Every structure is written in structure tokens, then in C-alpha cells.
Amino acid sequence: MAATFTHSTRPTTFIVDVIHAHPGKQDEAFRIIQDVVHYVAERKPGFLWSSLAKSTDDLTVVNVEAISDPGNVELLFSDPAFVEKFEQLNAVSSSGFHTYTVGDLVLPPVAA
């Protein structure tokens, strides 16, 4: 399945992880969440895509991840290997995630 953008909303669920890195640990936090996301992408059904970003002030890392169903979150945390990888963030950051469902998709007008 290839990720694509459309001009209509679809029932997509987003997981947004905001990771507050300990001083000097942003790169390490990025590498850890990057490893977690690649693990999910390679092994878990329902993964659509992820965008990983580092803040320019060296304080945070954000993972915006699209999945096909909110129930997929429970599946992730029932996987001991996933949990072990995800918990590595605790040594270099504090973090929290929330689950969102798209309510509106706003795109610029399409040129005729």
C-alpha cells in the first residue's frame, strides 16, 4: 500500500508523540524513536506512514504517525519487543502521545 494524499477526508488515525529530550539528548531521542517507528513499519499491519522531526531549539522530537485504526495502538503495546524499544526513551527524555482522528483536511486549491 502506497501513501497518498487525496482532496477528501478519510478515517485516518494519527499518533502524535511529543518527546522532550533531556539536555544534550535530542539526537539520541531521535535515533530511539526512529528505531521504534522502523520496527512498527516493518512488522505491524495498519501502519501508513510517519514523519519524524527535531525542533530547531534542540529540545524536542515529534513523531506524527498515521495508522489505519485506533485499535492498532493496543496491538503495539501488547508486543514486548515494541515496549522494550519504546521504553528506551525514558532514559533520555520524557514523552507522551495522543491519538487523533482526522476531522478536516485543508489543502490549497487545485489549479485548473
Side-chain angles (χ1 to χ4, degrees), residues 7-98:
H7 283 279
S8 62
T9 58
R10 293 177 55 197
T12 302
T13 299
F14 291 95
I15 304 302
V16 179
D17 295 308
V18 179
I19 300 159
H20 300 276
H22 298 326
K25 299 293 185 176
Q26 185 190 45
D27 287 340
E28 190 172 350
F30 184 88
R31 283 191 297 275
I32 292 168
I33 196 64
Q34 185 179 42
D35 180 54
V36 169
V37 170
H38 281 270
Y39 176 85
V40 171
E42 294 166 6
R43 292 171 181 82
K44 301 300 176 185
F47 176 88
L48 301 175
W49 55 263
S50 173
S51 177
L52 296 168
K54 294 186 222 178
S55 65
T56 57
D57 61 8
D58 298 324
L59 298 177
T60 59
V61 175
V62 176
N63 171 33
V64 179
E65 185 171 317
I67 60 176
S68 62
D69 186 284
N72 293 354
V73 176
E74 287 182 30
L75 290 174
L76 291 175
F77 283 96
S78 69
D79 176 350
F82 168 85
V83 171
E84 182 179 334
K85 288 176 175 295
F86 191 79
E87 288 181 346
Q88 291 176 19
L89 286 169
N90 295 335
V92 297
S93 66
S94 61
S95 64
F97 74 89
H98 294 276

Side-chain angles (χ1 to χ4, degrees), residues 5-10 102 105 107:
F5 288 99
T6 65
H7 283 279
S8 62
T9 58
R10 293 177 55 197
V102 174
L105 177 64
L107 298 170

